[in-house]
Amino acid sequence: MSSLPALNALNFFIADVRDGLGPFLGVFLQQQGWSPASIGIAMSLGGAAGMAAATPIGLLVDSTRHKRALLAIACVLIVLACAVNYLAPVFAITVAAQMIAGVAAAAVAPCIAALTLGLVRQQGYARQLGRNEAFNHAGNATAAALAGLLGWQFGLVAVFVLMAGMAIAAVIAVALIRPRDIDHAAARGATAGAQAEPILPTLLGSRPLLLVAGTVALFHMANAAMLPLLGQAMVARGTGMDPAAYTAATVILAQATMIPMALLAAWLAVRRGYGLVFILALVALPIRGLIAGSVDHPLALIPVQVLDGVGAGLLGVAVPGIVARILDGSGHATAGLAAVMTLQGIGASLSSTIGGVVAQQAGYGAAFLVLAGIALAALALWLAGGTVLRSAAGQPATP
């Protein structure tokens, strides 16, 4: 039996584990009397720890043959950190737990990318990335629905139990991936028996990689704040809709759209290359911002979140795929992906600040238009780098 069914199951179950308790933690801490500022600081420090650790973890994943064990340990650490948060909601303890969870979560995507590349090699990477993302989004949607239902029935403790159960299932899925099926040279983008290239010249000297990183950072700088601002805008406009139901609807719409988009991205990458996938994703985002900024009807939720699913679903496949292609033969494919993810995280963290400041000073409509402008800058950067990127992005993936 192939290890790929286990990889698919891993992507499904780990979707709920990587983010820990997510927004439920903020609700729980608020119930414990925490101020919004304290909650924000604790979560921000956890995110900052994860961003700082991402590239070193990528180097570790490239260098070790124990990728399955590293991923299993990350799952356990996330669950233990969430348990500490639940049992001892004290500021210093929660900050430490969030930082541990952030570092552990930073290992998830690089480990899965490396295991996937090691199992299917470059030849099958695009197709399997599409399956990975489809199963991941299906897991997110399922977990969100179950967490909402169980949390409503039994309280936050049920959300933690659900996450712990999915973590156990993820660890079992990792164990079912057979070590002999993993080509560790292919997993790090190296030729069997070849020495890895020097890391800094490889990453910093690659113009295509830098262009991809800059484009992805701008994309997430434009994208990350749109969903929170959309919910806030609807409440501020007094639409009469239940905020919790509205937020749940936004998540479900986006995740449901991401599943077919991930499969489409893989199909396009095999036949047309990653370039077209990037362009479609980058075009969708400014349109999303324009609609969100100019239409104040609650039903604007539908096109706005469908376009969110289009952009995120396509890039979820295109980014690891093109990074693996750019760094093929270097021995640093996972480290390169982790570095790009670090810049992605920095862009996303700036998004909330930019969107929030503009919304406060000029209104929600202006905030969405500013974010749409940043999205256009991402598209412009990608198009400006066309000749540099064409060899990596413009050719079909190897079938």
Side-chain angles (χ1 to χ4, degrees):
M1 180 181 176
S2 168
S3 292
L4 294 183
L7 179 63
N8 293 336
L10 169 62
N11 278 284
F12 180 89
F13 289 113
I14 209 164
D16 187 49
V17 179
R18 178 167 49 187
D19 296 330
L21 291 175
F24 293 99
L25 177 61
V27 173
F28 172 71
L29 294 177
Q30 192 173 29
Q31 293 173 348
Q32 304 305 306
W34 283 46
S35 69
S38 297
I39 295 171
I41 290 170
M43 291 186 168
S44 295
L45 288 174
M51 282 191 289
T55 302
I57 287 174
L59 287 166
L60 173 62
V61 174
D62 276 334
S63 64
T64 183
R65 299 177 67 88
H66 302 291
K67 298 172 178 61
R68 299 183 313 139
L70 183 60
L71 185 54
I73 291 169
C75 290
V76 172
L77 285 176
I78 293 169
V79 172
L80 290 177
C82 290
V84 169
N85 284 333
Y86 183 79
L87 296 172
V90 178
F91 183 78
I93 295 174
T94 296
V95 167
Q98 282 298 103
M99 293 179 74
I100 291 171
V103 172
V108 171
C111 283
I112 291 179
L115 287 171
T116 302
L117 193 53
L119 289 171
V120 302
R121 287 68 170 178
Q122 282 284 349
Q123 292 83 354
Y125 197 42
R127 286 194 181 92
Q128 187 57 42
L129 281 174
R131 298 187 188 102
N132 283 3
E133 288 298 300
F135 276 98
N136 185 268
H137 296 311
N140 265 323
T142 302
L146 288 174
L149 177 62
L150 295 174
W152 176 63
Q153 290 284 340
F154 305 106
L156 185 63
V157 66
V159 179
F160 170 75
V161 172
L162 171 65
M163 189 196 70
M166 294 191 79
I168 293 170
V171 171
I172 293 172
V174 170
L176 292 176
I177 296 175
R178 299 181 301 190
R180 66 176 179 271
D181 290 345
I182 304 169
D183 182 335
H184 288 280
R188 58 190 176 92
T191 305
Q195 291 290 326
E197 297 174 2
I199 179 65
L200 287 179
T202 298
L203 301 187
L204 298 180
S206 172
R207 289 183 64 196
L209 185 67
L210 293 176
L211 282 167
V212 168
T215 301
V216 170
L218 285 172
F219 178 92
H220 285 276
M221 189 184 298
N223 185 66
M226 283 195 187
L227 176 56
L229 285 175
L230 186 64
Q232 294 169 33
M234 289 301 166
V235 173
R237 290 165 182 165
T239 60
M241 297 187 67
D242 177 67
Y246 189 85
T247 302
T250 62
V251 173
I252 292 170
L253 264 175
Q255 293 293 331
T257 305
M258 288 176 196
I259 296 172
M261 285 299 105
L263 297 174
L264 174 63
W267 186 86
L268 286 173
V270 169
R271 288 158 179 80
R272 298 290 300 276
Y274 291 109
L276 178 59
V277 181
F278 262 90
I279 289 173
L280 291 174
L282 295 171
V283 167
L285 185 54
I287 297 173
R288 181 186 182 218
L290 289 172
I291 295 174
S294 57
V295 181
D296 60 4
H297 194 280
L299 290 180
L301 161 73
I302 296 173
V304 166
Q305 286 309 99
V306 166
L307 288 169
D308 181 29
V310 170
L314 293 173
L315 283 192
V317 172
V319 172
I322 195 171
V323 170
R325 179 179 287 188
I326 290 170
L327 295 177
D328 189 27
S330 70
H332 297 300
T334 311
L337 177 60
V340 170
M341 291 173 61
T342 300
L343 288 178
Q344 169 183 314
I346 293 172
S349 65
L350 291 174
S351 181
S352 297
T353 301
I354 294 170
V357 169
V358 176
Q360 181 174 328
Q361 297 297 322
Y364 288 103
F368 286 119
L369 294 178
V370 168
L371 295 175
I374 297 173
L376 286 173
L379 177 60
L381 177 61
W382 180 265
L383 294 176
T387 55
V388 175
L389 291 163
R390 190 166 294 118
S391 61
Q395 300 299 319
T398 304

